[in-house]
Every structure is written in structure tokens, then in C-alpha cells.
PDB file of all heavy atoms in Angstrom:
ATOM      1  N   VAL A   1      57.778 -26.351   5.845  1.00  0.00           N
ATOM      2  CA  VAL A   1      57.788 -25.491   4.662  1.00  0.00           C
ATOM      3  C   VAL A   1      58.919 -24.485   4.806  1.00  0.00           C
ATOM      4  O   VAL A   1      58.916 -23.664   5.731  1.00  0.00           O
ATOM      5  CB  VAL A   1      56.456 -24.748   4.478  1.00  0.00           C
ATOM      6  CG1 VAL A   1      56.531 -23.835   3.262  1.00  0.00           C
ATOM      7  CG2 VAL A   1      55.314 -25.742   4.348  1.00  0.00           C
ATOM      8  N   GLU A   2      59.869 -24.546   3.867  1.00  0.00           N
ATOM      9  CA  GLU A   2      60.997 -23.626   3.889  1.00  0.00           C
ATOM     10  C   GLU A   2      60.688 -22.378   3.083  1.00  0.00           C
ATOM     11  O   GLU A   2      59.881 -22.399   2.146  1.00  0.00           O
ATOM     12  CB  GLU A   2      62.258 -24.273   3.300  1.00  0.00           C
ATOM     13  CG  GLU A   2      62.715 -25.545   3.955  1.00  0.00           C
ATOM     14  CD  GLU A   2      62.184 -26.780   3.264  1.00  0.00           C
ATOM     15  OE1 GLU A   2      61.134 -26.670   2.587  1.00  0.00           O
ATOM     16  OE2 GLU A   2      62.795 -27.853   3.377  1.00  0.00           O
ATOM     17  N   SER A   3      61.387 -21.311   3.413  1.00  0.00           N
ATOM     18  CA  SER A   3      61.291 -20.068   2.651  1.00  0.00           C
ATOM     19  C   SER A   3      62.568 -19.275   2.876  1.00  0.00           C
ATOM     20  O   SER A   3      63.356 -19.579   3.773  1.00  0.00           O
ATOM     21  CB  SER A   3      60.072 -19.245   3.076  1.00  0.00           C
ATOM     22  OG  SER A   3      60.174 -18.885   4.438  1.00  0.00           O
ATOM     23  N   GLY A   4      62.759 -18.251   2.035  1.00  0.00           N
ATOM     24  CA  GLY A   4      63.880 -17.348   2.239  1.00  0.00           C
ATOM     25  C   GLY A   4      65.044 -17.521   1.282  1.00  0.00           C
ATOM     26  O   GLY A   4      66.004 -16.757   1.333  1.00  0.00           O
ATOM     27  N   GLY A   5      64.974 -18.518   0.411  1.00  0.00           N
ATOM     28  CA  GLY A   5      66.045 -18.705  -0.546  1.00  0.00           C
ATOM     29  C   GLY A   5      66.076 -17.588  -1.577  1.00  0.00           C
ATOM     30  O   GLY A   5      65.170 -16.763  -1.663  1.00  0.00           O
ATOM     31  N   GLY A   6      67.146 -17.563  -2.365  1.00  0.00           N
ATOM     32  CA  GLY A   6      67.249 -16.554  -3.403  1.00  0.00           C
ATOM     33  C   GLY A   6      68.627 -16.531  -4.039  1.00  0.00           C
ATOM     34  O   GLY A   6      69.458 -17.409  -3.786  1.00  0.00           O
ATOM     35  N   LEU A   7      68.840 -15.507  -4.838  1.00  0.00           N
ATOM     36  CA  LEU A   7      70.112 -15.296  -5.530  1.00  0.00           C
ATOM     37  C   LEU A   7      70.865 -14.165  -4.846  1.00  0.00           C
ATOM     38  O   LEU A   7      70.324 -13.048  -4.722  1.00  0.00           O
ATOM     39  CB  LEU A   7      69.849 -14.958  -6.993  1.00  0.00           C
ATOM     40  CG  LEU A   7      71.059 -14.527  -7.834  1.00  0.00           C
ATOM     41  CD1 LEU A   7      72.071 -15.658  -7.932  1.00  0.00           C
ATOM     42  CD2 LEU A   7      70.604 -14.080  -9.215  1.00  0.00           C
ATOM     43  N   VAL A   8      72.070 -14.457  -4.388  1.00  0.00           N
ATOM     44  CA  VAL A   8      72.892 -13.458  -3.729  1.00  0.00           C
ATOM     45  C   VAL A   8      74.310 -13.530  -4.273  1.00  0.00           C
ATOM     46  O   VAL A   8      74.666 -14.462  -4.994  1.00  0.00           O
ATOM     47  CB  VAL A   8      72.919 -13.657  -2.198  1.00  0.00           C
ATOM     48  CG1 VAL A   8      71.532 -13.485  -1.608  1.00  0.00           C
ATOM     49  CG2 VAL A   8      73.503 -15.021  -1.842  1.00  0.00           C
ATOM     50  N   GLN A   9      75.101 -12.533  -3.914  1.00  0.00           N
ATOM     51  CA  GLN A   9      76.495 -12.509  -4.327  1.00  0.00           C
ATOM     52  C   GLN A   9      77.377 -13.088  -3.208  1.00  0.00           C
ATOM     53  O   GLN A   9      76.985 -13.110  -2.037  1.00  0.00           O
ATOM     54  CB  GLN A   9      76.929 -11.086  -4.645  1.00  0.00           C
ATOM     55  CG  GLN A   9      76.247 -10.495  -5.862  1.00  0.00           C
ATOM     56  CD  GLN A   9      76.811  -9.144  -6.249  1.00  0.00           C
ATOM     57  OE1 GLN A   9      77.311  -8.413  -5.394  1.00  0.00           O
ATOM     58  NE2 GLN A   9      76.738  -8.810  -7.520  1.00  0.00           N
ATOM     59  N   ALA A  10      78.535 -13.539  -3.598  1.00  0.00           N
ATOM     60  CA  ALA A  10      79.489 -14.060  -2.616  1.00  0.00           C
ATOM     61  C   ALA A  10      79.763 -13.000  -1.544  1.00  0.00           C
ATOM     62  O   ALA A  10      79.933 -11.820  -1.870  1.00  0.00           O
ATOM     63  CB  ALA A  10      80.775 -14.468  -3.307  1.00  0.00           C
ATOM     64  N   GLY A  11      79.773 -13.440  -0.306  1.00  0.00           N
ATOM     65  CA  GLY A  11      79.985 -12.534   0.814  1.00  0.00           C
ATOM     66  C   GLY A  11      78.708 -12.014   1.435  1.00  0.00           C
ATOM     67  O   GLY A  11      78.732 -11.479   2.558  1.00  0.00           O
ATOM     68  N   ASP A  12      77.591 -12.182   0.746  1.00  0.00           N
ATOM     69  CA  ASP A  12      76.306 -11.716   1.262  1.00  0.00           C
ATOM     70  C   ASP A  12      75.765 -12.675   2.327  1.00  0.00           C
ATOM     71  O   ASP A  12      76.325 -13.752   2.568  1.00  0.00           O
ATOM     72  CB  ASP A  12      75.290 -11.601   0.122  1.00  0.00           C
ATOM     73  CG  ASP A  12      75.537 -10.383  -0.740  1.00  0.00           C
ATOM     74  OD1 ASP A  12      76.379  -9.530  -0.358  1.00  0.00           O
ATOM     75  OD2 ASP A  12      74.892 -10.278  -1.806  1.00  0.00           O
ATOM     76  N   SER A  13      74.671 -12.238   2.916  1.00  0.00           N
ATOM     77  CA  SER A  13      73.987 -13.049   3.923  1.00  0.00           C
ATOM     78  C   SER A  13      72.577 -13.369   3.461  1.00  0.00           C
ATOM     79  O   SER A  13      71.998 -12.653   2.635  1.00  0.00           O
ATOM     80  CB  SER A  13      73.924 -12.307   5.262  1.00  0.00           C
ATOM     81  OG  SER A  13      75.217 -12.047   5.774  1.00  0.00           O
ATOM     82  N   LEU A  14      72.035 -14.441   4.020  1.00  0.00           N
ATOM     83  CA  LEU A  14      70.678 -14.864   3.706  1.00  0.00           C
ATOM     84  C   LEU A  14      70.141 -15.598   4.928  1.00  0.00           C
ATOM     85  O   LEU A  14      70.905 -16.297   5.626  1.00  0.00           O
ATOM     86  CB  LEU A  14      70.690 -15.786   2.492  1.00  0.00           C
ATOM     87  CG  LEU A  14      69.455 -15.911   1.615  1.00  0.00           C
ATOM     88  CD1 LEU A  14      69.022 -14.561   1.076  1.00  0.00           C
ATOM     89  CD2 LEU A  14      69.725 -16.876   0.476  1.00  0.00           C
ATOM     90  N   ARG A  15      68.853 -15.447   5.176  1.00  0.00           N
ATOM     91  CA  ARG A  15      68.234 -16.142   6.296  1.00  0.00           C
ATOM     92  C   ARG A  15      67.113 -17.031   5.784  1.00  0.00           C
ATOM     93  O   ARG A  15      66.152 -16.540   5.183  1.00  0.00           O
ATOM     94  CB  ARG A  15      67.679 -15.151   7.317  1.00  0.00           C
ATOM     95  CG  ARG A  15      67.174 -15.795   8.601  1.00  0.00           C
ATOM     96  CD  ARG A  15      66.303 -14.836   9.367  1.00  0.00           C
ATOM     97  NE  ARG A  15      66.118 -15.217  10.753  1.00  0.00           N
ATOM     98  CZ  ARG A  15      65.081 -14.813  11.498  1.00  0.00           C
ATOM     99  NH1 ARG A  15      64.165 -14.019  10.979  1.00  0.00           N
ATOM    100  NH2 ARG A  15      64.986 -15.182  12.766  1.00  0.00           N
ATOM    101  N   LEU A  16      67.234 -18.306   6.029  1.00  0.00           N
ATOM    102  CA  LEU A  16      66.195 -19.252   5.668  1.00  0.00           C
ATOM    103  C   LEU A  16      65.284 -19.491   6.862  1.00  0.00           C
ATOM    104  O   LEU A  16      65.736 -19.481   8.008  1.00  0.00           O
ATOM    105  CB  LEU A  16      66.800 -20.580   5.220  1.00  0.00           C
ATOM    106  CG  LEU A  16      67.815 -20.523   4.080  1.00  0.00           C
ATOM    107  CD1 LEU A  16      68.257 -21.938   3.705  1.00  0.00           C
ATOM    108  CD2 LEU A  16      67.269 -19.796   2.882  1.00  0.00           C
ATOM    109  N   SER A  17      64.015 -19.718   6.564  1.00  0.00           N
ATOM    110  CA  SER A  17      63.039 -20.036   7.602  1.00  0.00           C
ATOM    111  C   SER A  17      62.376 -21.357   7.284  1.00  0.00           C
ATOM    112  O   SER A  17      62.247 -21.732   6.116  1.00  0.00           O
ATOM    113  CB  SER A  17      61.969 -18.937   7.686  1.00  0.00           C
ATOM    114  OG  SER A  17      62.540 -17.694   8.022  1.00  0.00           O
ATOM    115  N   CYS A  18      61.966 -22.041   8.329  1.00  0.00           N
ATOM    116  CA  CYS A  18      61.245 -23.303   8.169  1.00  0.00           C
ATOM    117  C   CYS A  18      60.071 -23.277   9.138  1.00  0.00           C
ATOM    118  O   CYS A  18      60.265 -23.185  10.356  1.00  0.00           O
ATOM    119  CB  CYS A  18      62.163 -24.474   8.476  1.00  0.00           C
ATOM    120  SG  CYS A  18      61.344 -26.084   8.517  1.00  0.00           S
ATOM    121  N   ALA A  19      58.863 -23.324   8.579  1.00  0.00           N
ATOM    122  CA  ALA A  19      57.654 -23.315   9.388  1.00  0.00           C
ATOM    123  C   ALA A  19      57.145 -24.739   9.548  1.00  0.00           C
ATOM    124  O   ALA A  19      56.983 -25.452   8.558  1.00  0.00           O
ATOM    125  CB  ALA A  19      56.599 -22.441   8.736  1.00  0.00           C
ATOM    126  N   ALA A  20      56.903 -25.141  10.777  1.00  0.00           N
ATOM    127  CA  ALA A  20      56.423 -26.486  11.065  1.00  0.00           C
ATOM    128  C   ALA A  20      54.963 -26.445  11.485  1.00  0.00           C
ATOM    129  O   ALA A  20      54.499 -25.478  12.094  1.00  0.00           O
ATOM    130  CB  ALA A  20      57.258 -27.125  12.171  1.00  0.00           C
ATOM    131  N   SER A  21      54.248 -27.501  11.147  1.00  0.00           N
ATOM    132  CA  SER A  21      52.876 -27.647  11.601  1.00  0.00           C
ATOM    133  C   SER A  21      52.616 -29.114  11.902  1.00  0.00           C
ATOM    134  O   SER A  21      53.272 -29.999  11.340  1.00  0.00           O
ATOM    135  CB  SER A  21      51.891 -27.135  10.549  1.00  0.00           C
ATOM    136  OG  SER A  21      52.031 -27.860   9.346  1.00  0.00           O
ATOM    137  N   GLY A  22      51.673 -29.355  12.816  1.00  0.00           N
ATOM    138  CA  GLY A  22      51.384 -30.724  13.202  1.00  0.00           C
ATOM    139  C   GLY A  22      52.453 -31.267  14.131  1.00  0.00           C
ATOM    140  O   GLY A  22      53.546 -30.732  14.225  1.00  0.00           O
ATOM    141  N   GLY A  23      52.135 -32.343  14.815  1.00  0.00           N
ATOM    142  CA  GLY A  23      53.108 -32.986  15.675  1.00  0.00           C
ATOM    143  C   GLY A  23      53.475 -32.151  16.885  1.00  0.00           C
ATOM    144  O   GLY A  23      52.949 -31.057  17.094  1.00  0.00           O
ATOM    145  N   THR A  24      54.380 -32.674  17.683  1.00  0.00           N
ATOM    146  CA  THR A  24      54.874 -31.980  18.864  1.00  0.00           C
ATOM    147  C   THR A  24      56.244 -31.426  18.518  1.00  0.00           C
ATOM    148  O   THR A  24      57.280 -32.067  18.734  1.00  0.00           O
ATOM    149  CB  THR A  24      54.965 -32.946  20.055  1.00  0.00           C
ATOM    150  OG1 THR A  24      53.703 -33.603  20.235  1.00  0.00           O
ATOM    151  CG2 THR A  24      55.313 -32.187  21.342  1.00  0.00           C
ATOM    152  N   PHE A  25      56.255 -30.229  17.980  1.00  0.00           N
ATOM    153  CA  PHE A  25      57.471 -29.639  17.428  1.00  0.00           C
ATOM    154  C   PHE A  25      58.615 -29.645  18.426  1.00  0.00           C
ATOM    155  O   PHE A  25      59.762 -29.903  18.078  1.00  0.00           O
ATOM    156  CB  PHE A  25      57.173 -28.215  16.972  1.00  0.00           C
ATOM    157  CG  PHE A  25      58.360 -27.501  16.403  1.00  0.00           C
ATOM    158  CD1 PHE A  25      58.861 -27.840  15.165  1.00  0.00           C
ATOM    159  CD2 PHE A  25      58.980 -26.479  17.113  1.00  0.00           C
ATOM    160  CE1 PHE A  25      59.961 -27.183  14.631  1.00  0.00           C
ATOM    161  CE2 PHE A  25      60.076 -25.819  16.605  1.00  0.00           C
ATOM    162  CZ  PHE A  25      60.569 -26.165  15.352  1.00  0.00           C
ATOM    163  N   SER A  26      58.312 -29.370  19.676  1.00  0.00           N
ATOM    164  CA  SER A  26      59.363 -29.242  20.689  1.00  0.00           C
ATOM    165  C   SER A  26      60.011 -30.568  21.042  1.00  0.00           C
ATOM    166  O   SER A  26      60.964 -30.596  21.832  1.00  0.00           O
ATOM    167  CB  SER A  26      58.803 -28.594  21.961  1.00  0.00           C
ATOM    168  OG  SER A  26      57.763 -29.385  22.485  1.00  0.00           O
ATOM    169  N   SER A  27      59.546 -31.674  20.476  1.00  0.00           N
ATOM    170  CA  SER A  27      60.163 -32.979  20.723  1.00  0.00           C
ATOM    171  C   SER A  27      61.076 -33.425  19.593  1.00  0.00           C
ATOM    172  O   SER A  27      61.589 -34.541  19.618  1.00  0.00           O
ATOM    173  CB  SER A  27      59.080 -34.048  20.936  1.00  0.00           C
ATOM    174  OG  SER A  27      58.354 -33.800  22.124  1.00  0.00           O
ATOM    175  N   TYR A  28      61.261 -32.564  18.632  1.00  0.00           N
ATOM    176  CA  TYR A  28      62.059 -32.922  17.466  1.00  0.00           C
ATOM    177  C   TYR A  28      63.402 -32.210  17.452  1.00  0.00           C
ATOM    178  O   TYR A  28      63.481 -31.004  17.721  1.00  0.00           O
ATOM    179  CB  TYR A  28      61.320 -32.569  16.173  1.00  0.00           C
ATOM    180  CG  TYR A  28      60.166 -33.482  15.869  1.00  0.00           C
ATOM    181  CD1 TYR A  28      58.911 -33.276  16.443  1.00  0.00           C
ATOM    182  CD2 TYR A  28      60.320 -34.566  15.012  1.00  0.00           C
ATOM    183  CE1 TYR A  28      57.858 -34.133  16.160  1.00  0.00           C
ATOM    184  CE2 TYR A  28      59.267 -35.413  14.727  1.00  0.00           C
ATOM    185  CZ  TYR A  28      58.042 -35.191  15.302  1.00  0.00           C
ATOM    186  OH  TYR A  28      57.002 -36.030  15.031  1.00  0.00           O
ATOM    187  N   THR A  29      64.436 -32.942  17.145  1.00  0.00           N
ATOM    188  CA  THR A  29      65.682 -32.318  16.717  1.00  0.00           C
ATOM    189  C   THR A  29      65.463 -31.859  15.287  1.00  0.00           C
ATOM    190  O   THR A  29      64.910 -32.602  14.469  1.00  0.00           O
ATOM    191  CB  THR A  29      66.852 -33.317  16.800  1.00  0.00           C
ATOM    192  OG1 THR A  29      67.291 -33.411  18.156  1.00  0.00           O
ATOM    193  CG2 THR A  29      68.023 -32.887  15.945  1.00  0.00           C
ATOM    194  N   MET A  30      65.878 -30.632  15.015  1.00  0.00           N
ATOM    195  CA  MET A  30      65.689 -30.063  13.681  1.00  0.00           C
ATOM    196  C   MET A  30      67.026 -29.936  12.975  1.00  0.00           C
ATOM    197  O   MET A  30      68.058 -29.651  13.603  1.00  0.00           O
ATOM    198  CB  MET A  30      65.035 -28.693  13.786  1.00  0.00           C
ATOM    199  CG  MET A  30      63.664 -28.712  14.424  1.00  0.00           C
ATOM    200  SD  MET A  30      62.485 -29.760  13.532  1.00  0.00           S
ATOM    201  CE  MET A  30      62.412 -28.917  11.952  1.00  0.00           C
ATOM    202  N   GLY A  31      66.997 -30.142  11.680  1.00  0.00           N
ATOM    203  CA  GLY A  31      68.229 -30.052  10.913  1.00  0.00           C
ATOM    204  C   GLY A  31      68.032 -29.343   9.591  1.00  0.00           C
ATOM    205  O   GLY A  31      66.904 -29.188   9.117  1.00  0.00           O
ATOM    206  N   TRP A  32      69.127 -28.903   9.040  1.00  0.00           N
ATOM    207  CA  TRP A  32      69.157 -28.365   7.682  1.00  0.00           C
ATOM    208  C   TRP A  32      70.138 -29.212   6.865  1.00  0.00           C
ATOM    209  O   TRP A  32      71.242 -29.518   7.328  1.00  0.00           O
ATOM    210  CB  TRP A  32      69.615 -26.913   7.662  1.00  0.00           C
ATOM    211  CG  TRP A  32      68.607 -25.933   8.165  1.00  0.00           C
ATOM    212  CD1 TRP A  32      68.486 -25.443   9.434  1.00  0.00           C
ATOM    213  CD2 TRP A  32      67.565 -25.303   7.403  1.00  0.00           C
ATOM    214  NE1 TRP A  32      67.451 -24.565   9.515  1.00  0.00           N
ATOM    215  CE2 TRP A  32      66.864 -24.454   8.278  1.00  0.00           C
ATOM    216  CE3 TRP A  32      67.167 -25.368   6.064  1.00  0.00           C
ATOM    217  CZ2 TRP A  32      65.783 -23.682   7.866  1.00  0.00           C
ATOM    218  CZ3 TRP A  32      66.087 -24.606   5.655  1.00  0.00           C
ATOM    219  CH2 TRP A  32      65.410 -23.771   6.541  1.00  0.00           C
ATOM    220  N   PHE A  33      69.702 -29.565   5.676  1.00  0.00           N
ATOM    221  CA  PHE A  33      70.532 -30.268   4.709  1.00  0.00           C
ATOM    222  C   PHE A  33      70.542 -29.461   3.426  1.00  0.00           C
ATOM    223  O   PHE A  33      69.717 -28.572   3.237  1.00  0.00           O
ATOM    224  CB  PHE A  33      69.970 -31.669   4.432  1.00  0.00           C
ATOM    225  CG  PHE A  33      70.158 -32.645   5.559  1.00  0.00           C
ATOM    226  CD1 PHE A  33      69.368 -32.569   6.702  1.00  0.00           C
ATOM    227  CD2 PHE A  33      71.097 -33.658   5.481  1.00  0.00           C
ATOM    228  CE1 PHE A  33      69.525 -33.466   7.745  1.00  0.00           C
ATOM    229  CE2 PHE A  33      71.263 -34.572   6.510  1.00  0.00           C
ATOM    230  CZ  PHE A  33      70.473 -34.462   7.652  1.00  0.00           C
ATOM    231  N   ARG A  34      71.456 -29.792   2.544  1.00  0.00           N
ATOM    232  CA  ARG A  34      71.476 -29.137   1.244  1.00  0.00           C
ATOM    233  C   ARG A  34      71.895 -30.133   0.176  1.00  0.00           C
ATOM    234  O   ARG A  34      72.578 -31.115   0.454  1.00  0.00           O
ATOM    235  CB  ARG A  34      72.400 -27.928   1.246  1.00  0.00           C
ATOM    236  CG  ARG A  34      73.870 -28.251   1.449  1.00  0.00           C
ATOM    237  CD  ARG A  34      74.670 -26.958   1.610  1.00  0.00           C
ATOM    238  NE  ARG A  34      76.097 -27.211   1.761  1.00  0.00           N
ATOM    239  CZ  ARG A  34      76.993 -26.259   2.017  1.00  0.00           C
ATOM    240  NH1 ARG A  34      76.619 -24.992   2.154  1.00  0.00           N
ATOM    241  NH2 ARG A  34      78.271 -26.583   2.138  1.00  0.00           N
ATOM    242  N   GLN A  35      71.476 -29.841  -1.047  1.00  0.00           N
ATOM    243  CA  GLN A  35      71.808 -30.710  -2.166  1.00  0.00           C
ATOM    244  C   GLN A  35      72.075 -29.879  -3.399  1.00  0.00           C
ATOM    245  O   GLN A  35      71.189 -29.147  -3.862  1.00  0.00           O
ATOM    246  CB  GLN A  35      70.684 -31.711  -2.431  1.00  0.00           C
ATOM    247  CG  GLN A  35      71.042 -32.767  -3.449  1.00  0.00           C
ATOM    248  CD  GLN A  35      70.041 -33.904  -3.469  1.00  0.00           C
ATOM    249  OE1 GLN A  35      68.917 -33.791  -2.976  1.00  0.00           O
ATOM    250  NE2 GLN A  35      70.448 -35.032  -4.019  1.00  0.00           N
TER     251      GLN A  35
END
């Protein structure tokens, strides 16, 4: 589950978070994609 998106101006910063549940999280390579 992702969170943290929003509307910002050019040059600003933003921090996205991704909360995981289930599975063995520490055995996964994690990635971010965009579309």
C-alpha cells in the first residue's frame, strides 16, 4: 500500500511510503515504478 503522493511545484520534494504486509518482506527486492 503506497501513500504520500500529492501536488507539488517544480523543485519541491516529496516522500512516498510503501507499507508491506504478509510474506517474508526481507526476502524481496523492492522497486518503484511510475506510469
Side-chain angles (χ1 to χ4, degrees):
V1 178
E2 303 94 336
S3 61
L7 172 63
V8 297
Q9 293 187 332
D12 285 351
S13 298
L14 205 57
R15 187 196 197 203
L16 305 183
S17 299
C18 173
S21 60
T24 307
F25 179 72
S26 60
S27 294
Y28 287 84
T29 280
M30 299 301 297
W32 287 94
F33 288 75
R34 65 187 182 185
Q35 188 168 18

